[in-house]
Protein backbone atom coordinates (compact mmCIF):
# COMPACT_ATOMS: atom_id res chain seq x y z
CA UNK A 1 0.00 0.00 0.00
CA UNK A 2 1.43 3.42 -0.92
CA UNK A 3 1.14 6.31 1.59
CA UNK A 4 0.63 9.94 0.73
CA UNK A 5 2.89 12.64 2.27
CA UNK A 6 0.05 13.87 4.48
CA UNK A 7 -0.54 10.36 5.78
CA UNK A 8 3.19 9.85 6.51
CA UNK A 9 3.03 12.98 8.65
CA UNK A 10 0.26 11.51 10.71
CA UNK A 11 1.87 8.06 11.00
CA UNK A 12 1.90 7.94 14.84
CA UNK A 13 -1.81 8.81 14.95
CA UNK A 14 -2.60 6.19 12.27
CA UNK A 15 -0.73 3.51 14.25
CA UNK A 16 -2.56 4.44 17.44
CA UNK A 17 -5.94 4.34 15.70
CA UNK A 18 -5.12 0.90 14.18
CA UNK A 19 -4.15 -0.42 17.61
CA UNK A 20 -7.44 0.81 19.12
CA UNK A 21 -9.40 -0.85 16.30
CA UNK A 22 -7.57 -4.15 16.85
CA UNK A 23 -8.34 -4.02 20.58
CA UNK A 24 -12.01 -3.28 19.91
CA UNK A 25 -12.32 -6.08 17.36
CA UNK A 26 -10.60 -8.52 19.69
CA UNK A 27 -13.01 -7.60 22.45
CA UNK A 28 -15.91 -8.63 20.20
CA UNK A 29 -14.70 -12.25 19.93
CA UNK A 30 -16.23 -14.90 22.18
CA UNK A 31 -14.30 -15.23 25.42
CA UNK A 32 -14.12 -19.00 24.92
CA UNK A 33 -11.90 -18.58 21.86
CA UNK A 34 -14.17 -20.92 19.87
CA UNK A 35 -14.81 -20.08 16.19
CA UNK A 36 -18.03 -18.20 15.44
CA UNK A 37 -21.11 -20.35 14.81
CA UNK A 38 -21.97 -20.85 11.14
CA UNK A 39 -25.58 -20.93 10.00
CA UNK A 40 -26.86 -24.48 9.62
CA UNK A 41 -27.93 -25.63 6.18
CA UNK A 42 -31.61 -26.43 5.71
CA UNK A 43 -30.72 -28.68 2.79
CA UNK A 44 -27.54 -30.31 1.46
CA UNK A 45 -27.38 -30.81 -2.30
CA UNK A 46 -24.72 -32.76 -4.18
CA UNK A 47 -24.38 -31.91 -7.84
CA UNK A 48 -22.20 -32.84 -10.80
CA UNK A 49 -23.44 -29.81 -12.73
CA UNK A 50 -21.26 -26.86 -13.56
CA UNK A 51 -21.72 -23.85 -11.28
CA UNK A 52 -23.41 -21.88 -14.05
CA UNK A 53 -26.24 -24.42 -14.22
CA UNK A 54 -26.68 -25.23 -10.55
CA UNK A 55 -26.28 -21.82 -8.96
CA UNK A 56 -29.23 -19.97 -10.58
CA UNK A 57 -31.63 -22.78 -9.67
CA UNK A 58 -30.44 -22.97 -6.05
CA UNK A 59 -30.48 -19.19 -5.61
CA UNK A 60 -34.01 -18.91 -6.95
CA UNK A 61 -35.11 -21.72 -4.62
CA UNK A 62 -33.49 -20.01 -1.62
CA UNK A 63 -35.12 -16.67 -2.43
CA UNK A 64 -38.57 -18.21 -2.78
CA UNK A 65 -38.43 -20.47 0.27
CA UNK A 66 -36.05 -18.71 2.65
CA UNK A 67 -34.19 -22.00 3.11
CA UNK A 68 -30.40 -22.08 3.29
CA UNK A 69 -28.94 -24.58 0.81
CA UNK A 70 -25.44 -26.02 1.04
CA UNK A 71 -24.15 -27.16 -2.35
CA UNK A 72 -21.41 -29.74 -2.70
CA UNK A 73 -20.08 -30.00 -6.24
CA UNK A 74 -18.11 -32.92 -7.58
CA UNK A 75 -17.66 -35.19 -10.56
CA UNK A 76 -19.68 -38.22 -11.55
CA UNK A 77 -16.61 -40.32 -10.82
CA UNK A 78 -16.46 -38.92 -7.26
CA UNK A 79 -20.17 -39.53 -6.76
CA UNK A 80 -19.86 -43.18 -7.80
CA UNK A 81 -16.78 -43.67 -5.64
CA UNK A 82 -18.60 -42.23 -2.61
CA UNK A 83 -21.57 -44.54 -3.16
CA UNK A 84 -19.41 -47.60 -3.72
CA UNK A 85 -17.19 -46.95 -0.70
CA UNK A 86 -20.09 -48.12 1.46
CA UNK A 87 -20.24 -45.04 3.69
CA UNK A 88 -23.46 -43.84 2.06
CA UNK A 89 -24.10 -40.56 0.24
CA UNK A 90 -22.23 -38.04 2.37
CA UNK A 91 -19.41 -35.50 2.22
CA UNK A 92 -15.85 -35.98 3.46
CA UNK A 93 -16.78 -34.29 6.74
CA UNK A 94 -19.58 -36.82 7.27
CA UNK A 95 -22.55 -34.56 6.47
CA UNK A 96 -25.20 -36.56 4.66
CA UNK A 97 -26.63 -35.36 1.40
CA UNK A 98 -30.37 -34.82 1.13
CA UNK A 99 -30.55 -34.58 -2.65
CA UNK A 100 -28.40 -35.37 -5.67
CA UNK A 101 -29.09 -32.91 -8.46
CA UNK A 102 -28.24 -32.77 -12.16
CA UNK A 103 -26.99 -36.35 -12.33
CA UNK A 104 -27.51 -38.35 -15.54
CA UNK A 105 -30.60 -40.53 -15.26
CA UNK A 106 -28.64 -43.58 -16.39
CA UNK A 107 -26.59 -43.26 -13.18
CA UNK A 108 -29.69 -42.51 -11.11
CA UNK A 109 -31.36 -45.59 -12.58
CA UNK A 110 -28.36 -47.83 -11.91
CA UNK A 111 -28.02 -46.63 -8.29
CA UNK A 112 -31.69 -46.81 -7.36
CA UNK A 113 -31.01 -48.46 -4.03
CA UNK A 114 -29.69 -45.13 -2.70
CA UNK A 115 -32.79 -43.07 -3.50
CA UNK A 116 -36.25 -42.93 -1.97
CA UNK A 117 -39.38 -42.93 -4.12
CA UNK A 118 -41.22 -39.64 -4.37
CA UNK A 119 -43.86 -38.68 -6.92
CA UNK A 120 -43.80 -34.94 -7.47
CA UNK A 121 -47.13 -33.21 -8.11
CA UNK A 122 -45.42 -31.81 -11.22
CA UNK A 123 -44.94 -35.29 -12.73
CA UNK A 124 -48.10 -35.19 -14.96
CA UNK A 125 -46.52 -32.26 -16.84
CA UNK A 126 -43.31 -34.16 -17.67
CA UNK A 127 -43.03 -35.80 -21.09
CA UNK A 128 -43.45 -39.57 -20.89
CA UNK A 129 -39.96 -40.31 -22.23
CA UNK A 130 -38.43 -38.47 -19.26
CA UNK A 131 -40.48 -40.04 -16.45
CA UNK A 132 -39.28 -42.65 -13.97
CA UNK A 133 -41.74 -45.54 -13.60
CA UNK A 134 -41.14 -46.05 -9.86
CA UNK A 135 -40.47 -42.36 -9.02
CA UNK A 136 -36.95 -43.00 -7.69
CA UNK A 137 -35.74 -39.96 -9.66
CA UNK A 138 -37.28 -36.97 -11.42
CA UNK A 139 -35.78 -35.61 -14.62
CA UNK A 140 -34.58 -32.00 -14.77
CA UNK A 141 -33.34 -31.17 -18.26
CA UNK A 142 -32.88 -32.84 -21.63
CA UNK A 143 -29.53 -32.47 -23.41
CA UNK A 144 -29.14 -33.58 -27.05
CA UNK A 145 -25.54 -34.30 -28.08
CA UNK A 146 -24.08 -32.17 -30.87
CA UNK A 147 -20.80 -31.72 -32.69
CA UNK A 148 -19.49 -28.20 -32.12
CA UNK A 149 -16.82 -26.60 -34.34
CA UNK A 150 -14.79 -23.42 -34.45
CA UNK A 151 -15.95 -21.29 -37.38
CA UNK A 152 -12.56 -19.58 -37.66
CA UNK A 153 -10.83 -22.91 -38.20
CA UNK A 154 -13.41 -25.01 -40.03
CA UNK A 155 -14.34 -23.72 -43.48
CA UNK A 156 -17.80 -23.94 -44.99
CA UNK A 157 -16.75 -26.96 -47.08
CA UNK A 158 -15.32 -28.71 -44.03
CA UNK A 159 -18.35 -28.41 -41.74
CA UNK A 160 -18.86 -31.79 -40.03
CA UNK A 161 -21.94 -33.79 -40.91
CA UNK A 162 -22.01 -36.60 -38.40
CA UNK A 163 -20.15 -39.08 -36.24
CA UNK A 164 -17.97 -40.25 -39.17
CA UNK A 165 -16.64 -36.69 -39.51
CA UNK A 166 -14.62 -37.32 -36.35
CA UNK A 167 -12.65 -39.94 -38.31
CA UNK A 168 -11.54 -37.66 -41.16
CA UNK A 169 -7.72 -37.52 -41.47
CA UNK A 170 -7.83 -33.71 -41.80
CA UNK A 171 -8.86 -33.54 -38.12
CA UNK A 172 -6.09 -35.81 -36.84
CA UNK A 173 -5.11 -34.45 -33.43
CA UNK A 174 -7.72 -31.69 -33.81
CA UNK A 175 -10.76 -33.42 -32.29
CA UNK A 176 -11.52 -32.47 -28.67
CA UNK A 177 -12.72 -35.64 -26.97
CA UNK A 178 -13.14 -36.36 -23.29
CA UNK A 179 -12.21 -39.67 -21.68
CA UNK A 180 -15.49 -41.64 -22.05
CA UNK A 181 -14.74 -43.46 -18.79
CA UNK A 182 -15.13 -40.17 -16.92
CA UNK A 183 -18.27 -38.84 -18.52
CA UNK A 184 -21.81 -40.03 -19.23
CA UNK A 185 -21.87 -37.58 -22.12
CA UNK A 186 -18.84 -39.07 -23.84
CA UNK A 187 -19.66 -42.70 -23.17
CA UNK A 188 -23.09 -41.99 -24.67
CA UNK A 189 -21.53 -40.19 -27.64
CA UNK A 190 -19.21 -43.12 -28.29
CA UNK A 191 -22.12 -45.58 -27.99
CA UNK A 192 -24.22 -43.50 -30.40
CA UNK A 193 -21.36 -43.24 -32.92
CA UNK A 194 -20.56 -46.97 -32.82
CA UNK A 195 -24.26 -47.91 -32.93
CA UNK A 196 -24.80 -45.98 -36.15
CA UNK A 197 -21.48 -46.78 -37.86
CA UNK A 198 -21.59 -49.31 -40.65
CA UNK A 199 -18.28 -50.90 -39.90
CA UNK A 200 -16.41 -52.65 -37.12
CA UNK A 201 -13.45 -50.44 -36.47
CA UNK A 202 -14.96 -47.05 -35.55
CA UNK A 203 -13.26 -46.95 -32.16
CA UNK A 204 -9.86 -47.97 -33.57
CA UNK A 205 -10.06 -45.21 -36.19
CA UNK A 206 -11.27 -42.63 -33.66
CA UNK A 207 -8.54 -43.45 -31.13
CA UNK A 208 -5.91 -43.07 -33.85
CA UNK A 209 -7.42 -39.76 -35.03
CA UNK A 210 -7.33 -38.52 -31.42
CA UNK A 211 -3.67 -39.60 -31.33
CA UNK A 212 -4.69 -41.78 -28.35
CA UNK A 213 -5.21 -38.68 -26.22
CA UNK A 214 -8.31 -37.42 -24.45
CA UNK A 215 -9.34 -34.58 -22.15
CA UNK A 216 -10.51 -34.85 -18.56
CA UNK A 217 -13.47 -32.45 -18.48
CA UNK A 218 -16.20 -31.06 -20.67
CA UNK A 219 -15.02 -27.53 -19.94
CA UNK A 220 -11.63 -28.43 -21.47
CA UNK A 221 -13.43 -29.64 -24.58
CA UNK A 222 -15.48 -26.46 -24.89
CA UNK A 223 -12.60 -24.06 -24.16
CA UNK A 224 -10.28 -25.99 -26.49
CA UNK A 225 -12.68 -25.57 -29.40
CA UNK A 226 -13.39 -21.97 -28.44
CA UNK A 227 -9.74 -20.88 -28.49
CA UNK A 228 -8.89 -22.87 -31.63
CA UNK A 229 -6.62 -25.51 -30.08
CA UNK A 230 -9.12 -28.00 -31.43
CA UNK A 231 -11.27 -27.69 -34.54
CA UNK A 232 -14.31 -29.66 -33.40
CA UNK A 233 -15.63 -31.93 -30.70
CA UNK A 234 -18.70 -33.35 -29.00
CA UNK A 235 -20.64 -31.36 -26.44
CA UNK A 236 -24.22 -30.86 -25.28
CA UNK A 237 -26.62 -28.65 -27.19
CA UNK A 238 -27.15 -26.21 -24.32
CA UNK A 239 -23.46 -25.34 -24.06
CA UNK A 240 -23.03 -24.94 -27.82
CA UNK A 241 -26.18 -22.83 -28.03
CA UNK A 242 -25.06 -20.59 -25.16
CA UNK A 243 -21.65 -20.00 -26.77
CA UNK A 244 -23.15 -19.28 -30.20
CA UNK A 245 -25.79 -16.96 -28.75
CA UNK A 246 -23.06 -15.16 -26.83
CA UNK A 247 -21.20 -14.34 -30.04
CA UNK A 248 -18.46 -16.97 -29.83
CA UNK A 249 -16.95 -18.18 -33.09
CA UNK A 250 -18.59 -21.58 -32.91
CA UNK A 251 -21.48 -23.39 -34.50
CA UNK A 252 -22.85 -26.88 -34.13
CA UNK A 253 -24.69 -29.68 -35.93
CA UNK A 254 -26.81 -32.64 -34.94
CA UNK A 255 -25.13 -35.80 -36.30
CA UNK A 256 -26.97 -36.86 -39.43
CA UNK A 257 -26.83 -40.54 -38.41
CA UNK A 258 -28.85 -39.67 -35.30
CA UNK A 259 -28.03 -38.34 -31.89
CA UNK A 260 -29.07 -39.19 -28.39
CA UNK A 261 -30.75 -37.06 -25.75
CA UNK A 262 -29.28 -37.26 -22.25
CA UNK A 263 -31.69 -36.30 -19.51
CA UNK A 264 -30.35 -35.50 -16.08
CA UNK A 265 -32.35 -35.43 -12.92
CA UNK A 266 -32.83 -35.16 -9.18
CA UNK A 267 -33.19 -37.85 -6.53
CA UNK A 268 -33.85 -37.77 -2.78
CA UNK A 269 -31.35 -39.74 -0.74
CA UNK A 270 -32.64 -42.65 1.33
CA UNK A 271 -32.86 -41.75 5.01
CA UNK A 272 -31.85 -38.12 4.43
CA UNK A 273 -31.97 -35.71 7.39
CA UNK A 274 -34.22 -33.10 5.80
CA UNK A 275 -36.85 -34.95 3.70
CA UNK A 276 -39.41 -32.12 3.60
CA UNK A 277 -36.86 -29.61 2.28
CA UNK A 278 -35.62 -32.24 -0.18
CA UNK A 279 -39.12 -32.73 -1.58
CA UNK A 280 -39.65 -28.97 -1.87
CA UNK A 281 -36.37 -28.64 -3.78
CA UNK A 282 -37.19 -31.49 -6.14
CA UNK A 283 -40.65 -30.03 -6.81
CA UNK A 284 -39.07 -26.66 -7.55
CA UNK A 285 -36.54 -28.04 -10.06
CA UNK A 286 -39.33 -29.35 -12.23
CA UNK A 287 -41.82 -26.52 -11.66
CA UNK A 288 -42.89 -24.46 -14.64
CA UNK A 289 -41.07 -21.36 -13.36
CA UNK A 290 -37.76 -23.19 -12.86
CA UNK A 291 -38.07 -24.91 -16.22
CA UNK A 292 -38.65 -21.56 -17.92
CA UNK A 293 -35.41 -20.32 -16.32
CA UNK A 294 -33.73 -23.48 -17.56
CA UNK A 295 -34.69 -22.63 -21.14
CA UNK A 296 -34.37 -18.84 -21.17
CA UNK A 297 -31.27 -18.39 -18.98
CA UNK A 298 -29.43 -21.70 -19.18
CA UNK A 299 -30.09 -22.67 -22.82
CA UNK A 300 -31.25 -26.15 -21.81
CA UNK A 301 -34.34 -28.02 -22.97
CA UNK A 302 -37.20 -28.48 -20.57
CA UNK A 303 -38.58 -31.93 -19.74
CA UNK A 304 -42.06 -30.42 -19.31
CA UNK A 305 -44.56 -30.58 -22.13
CA UNK A 306 -45.81 -27.04 -21.47
CA UNK A 307 -42.40 -25.30 -21.73
CA UNK A 308 -41.26 -24.97 -25.37
CA UNK A 309 -37.58 -24.82 -26.44
CA UNK A 310 -35.82 -21.58 -27.31
CA UNK A 311 -37.07 -19.91 -30.51
CA UNK A 312 -35.25 -21.38 -33.49
CA UNK A 313 -34.67 -24.79 -31.92
CA UNK A 314 -36.65 -27.74 -33.20
CA UNK A 315 -38.68 -29.76 -30.69
CA UNK A 316 -36.96 -32.99 -29.62
CA UNK A 317 -39.64 -34.91 -31.52
CA UNK A 318 -38.30 -33.46 -34.79
CA UNK A 319 -34.65 -34.35 -34.16
CA UNK A 320 -33.15 -37.54 -35.52
CA UNK A 321 -32.86 -39.54 -32.30
CA UNK A 322 -31.29 -42.99 -32.09
CA UNK A 323 -33.88 -45.52 -31.08
CA UNK A 324 -32.30 -47.01 -27.95
CA UNK A 325 -33.90 -47.33 -24.55
CA UNK A 326 -32.06 -46.60 -21.31
CA UNK A 327 -31.17 -50.21 -20.49
CA UNK A 328 -30.01 -50.95 -24.01
CA UNK A 329 -27.86 -47.82 -24.04
CA UNK A 330 -26.34 -48.78 -20.66
CA UNK A 331 -25.42 -52.25 -21.93
CA UNK A 332 -23.92 -50.81 -25.10
CA UNK A 333 -21.85 -48.30 -23.12
CA UNK A 334 -20.45 -50.90 -20.76
CA UNK A 335 -19.28 -53.09 -23.63
CA UNK A 336 -17.96 -50.14 -25.61
CA UNK A 337 -15.97 -48.83 -22.65
CA UNK A 338 -14.30 -52.23 -22.25
CA UNK A 339 -13.33 -52.22 -25.91
CA UNK A 340 -12.16 -48.60 -25.76
CA UNK A 341 -9.92 -49.26 -22.77
CA UNK A 342 -8.59 -52.36 -24.55
CA UNK A 343 -7.64 -50.29 -27.60
CA UNK A 344 -5.78 -47.73 -25.46
CA UNK A 345 -4.01 -50.44 -23.45
CA UNK A 346 -2.88 -52.20 -26.63
CA UNK A 347 -1.52 -48.92 -28.01
CA UNK A 348 0.43 -48.28 -24.80
CA UNK A 349 1.98 -51.74 -24.87
CA UNK A 350 2.99 -51.32 -28.51
CA UNK A 351 4.40 -47.88 -27.78
CA UNK A 352 6.33 -49.27 -24.81
CA UNK A 353 4.64 -46.93 -22.35
Amino acid sequence: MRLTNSTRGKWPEVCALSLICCVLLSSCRPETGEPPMLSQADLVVYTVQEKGICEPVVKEFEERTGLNVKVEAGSLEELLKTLEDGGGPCSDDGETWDVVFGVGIRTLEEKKEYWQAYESPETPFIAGAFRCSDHKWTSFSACPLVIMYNTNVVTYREVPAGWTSLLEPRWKGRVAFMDPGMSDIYSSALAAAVYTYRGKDYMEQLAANLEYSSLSSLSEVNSGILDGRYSLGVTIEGTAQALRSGGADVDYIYPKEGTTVLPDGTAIVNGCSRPEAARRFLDFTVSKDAQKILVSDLNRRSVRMDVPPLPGLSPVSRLSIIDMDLKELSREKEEILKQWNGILSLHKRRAGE
Side-chain angles (χ1 to χ4, degrees), residues 28-49:
C28 294
R29 292 173 184 164
E31 293 182 357
T32 59
E34 295 178 353
M37 293 288 291
L38 299 175
S39 59
Q40 294 291 316
D42 300 309
L43 181 71
V44 179
V45 174
Y46 182 88
T47 184
V48 299
Q49 292 286 337

Side-chain angles (χ1 to χ4, degrees), residues 16 25 32 48 56 62 122 132 138 172 184 196 212-213 231 234 259 289 295:
L25 287 173
T32 59
V48 299
E62 287 182 317
E122 304 289 346
C132 176
T138 301
K172 190 175 181 65
D184 257 355
T196 57
Y212 303 95
S213 176
S231 302
V234 179
T259 188
D289 284 355
V295 172

